[in-house]
Amino acid sequence: MKVALILKIDKKSENLIFSWKKKFKQRYKNILYLNDKPHVTLISTNIKKDKNKLLSFNTMSFEKKKIKSKIIKSSVFWNDLLTKGSTFYFLISKNKKLLNLQKIISNHIVNNFALIKSRKKLKLNKIENKSYIKYGFPYVGLNWIPHLTIGSVLDKKLDHKFSNKFFSFKKKHTVIFIELVVCEVINNKLREIQKVKL
């Protein structure tokens, strides 16, 4: 099964992301992730299903306290490896608390679950490949890019004027992470299994 460990955000930040999702929905016909609740993904990997262990994240040893970070800028993943589209997002400041939480969770998965590696050949660099071999996810550690996804546009033609408006977003905004959620990923949709309040 594929699992994703995500961080949910405060209401004010959620409203900001939903306002941009609405604008993208009005602009494009073919776009993924628009209906997802705004979140930051810590790790997404394939594991051997174990119902009992899936509820073990609440017992992890880490400080259960809300984490604050900031939106640095708006950006895009051109030719996203997962969607083959252009994934627009807000980049989040990668502070020590976020990095530490990702490491604790990723190591918990490795120590408690059997990973299932994809047979597909992934175009990864040396650092990404090392992370993928250990965690089943190419972006654990310093090469991780914490972000809040708006949507992944699959339309062949992009509205560059609209994109530039998104890229010009300069508003200072603090994001508060309020909850860790364990999800099963089914057809690119998240099914919540367990919640851990921060």
Side-chain angles (χ1 to χ4, degrees), residues 146-194:
H147 62 279
L148 293 163
T149 299
I150 304 300
S152 190
V153 178
L154 304 181
D155 293 22
K156 290 183 179 179
K157 289 186 178 181
L158 292 177
D159 183 334
H160 295 292
K161 187 176 179 181
F162 177 73
S163 297
N164 288 335
K165 186 179 179 182
F166 175 68
F167 296 142
S168 67
F169 179 87
K170 301 293 181 187
K171 183 180 177 183
K172 290 183 179 180
H173 185 88
T174 298
V175 178
I176 304 171
F177 299 104
I178 60 173
E179 195 172 44
L180 168 69
V181 185
V182 184
C183 301
E184 182 177 7
V185 183
I186 304 171
N187 297 324
N188 285 324
K189 293 183 179 179
L190 301 175
R191 183 180 73 84
E192 296 181 359
I193 296 171
Q194 184 187 21

Side-chain angles (χ1 to χ4, degrees), residues 42-178:
L42 292 167
I43 184 171
S44 180
T45 189
N46 289 292
I47 59 170
K48 187 175 180 181
K49 193 169 185 177
D50 188 321
K51 287 184 178 179
N52 294 324
K53 287 182 179 178
L54 277 172
L55 300 176
S56 68
F57 291 92
N58 200 38
T59 64
M60 286 186 302
S61 178
F62 70 96
E63 186 181 11
K64 293 177 177 67
K65 189 176 180 180
K66 292 180 177 66
I67 299 172
K68 292 183 180 180
S69 191
K70 293 185 181 297
I71 289 177
I72 300 174
K73 64 176 182 177
S74 48
S75 192
V76 62
F77 295 123
W78 302 113
N79 301 312
D80 190 321
L81 284 174
L82 294 176
T83 67
K84 309 303 180 189
S86 300
T87 301
F88 292 82
Y89 64 91
F90 283 117
L91 181 65
I92 301 298
S93 176
K94 183 166 50 179
N95 58 41
K96 287 183 180 179
K97 287 184 178 180
L98 273 177
L99 276 170
N100 187 49
L101 182 58
Q102 190 204 36
K103 188 175 180 181
I104 289 169
I105 286 164
S106 300
N107 285 332
H108 181 83
I109 291 172
V110 169
N111 294 331
N112 290 279
F113 297 91
L115 297 182
I116 301 170
K117 303 288 176 62
S118 172
R119 293 180 180 177
K120 292 180 181 178
K121 283 192 175 181
L122 303 175
K123 294 180 180 178
L124 304 174
N125 63 37
K126 189 176 180 180
I127 295 172
E128 291 169 344
N129 192 55
K130 187 177 179 181
S131 175
Y132 180 74
I133 289 170
K134 185 172 182 179
Y135 300 107
F137 185 64
Y139 312 111
V140 174
L142 294 177
N143 63 322
W144 176 45
I145 304 174
H147 62 279
L148 293 163
T149 299
I150 304 300
S152 190
V153 178
L154 304 181
D155 293 22
K156 290 183 179 179
K157 289 186 178 181
L158 292 177
D159 183 334
H160 295 292
K161 187 176 179 181
F162 177 73
S163 297
N164 288 335
K165 186 179 179 182
F166 175 68
F167 296 142
S168 67
F169 179 87
K170 301 293 181 187
K171 183 180 177 183
K172 290 183 179 180
H173 185 88
T174 298
V175 178
I176 304 171
F177 299 104
I178 60 173

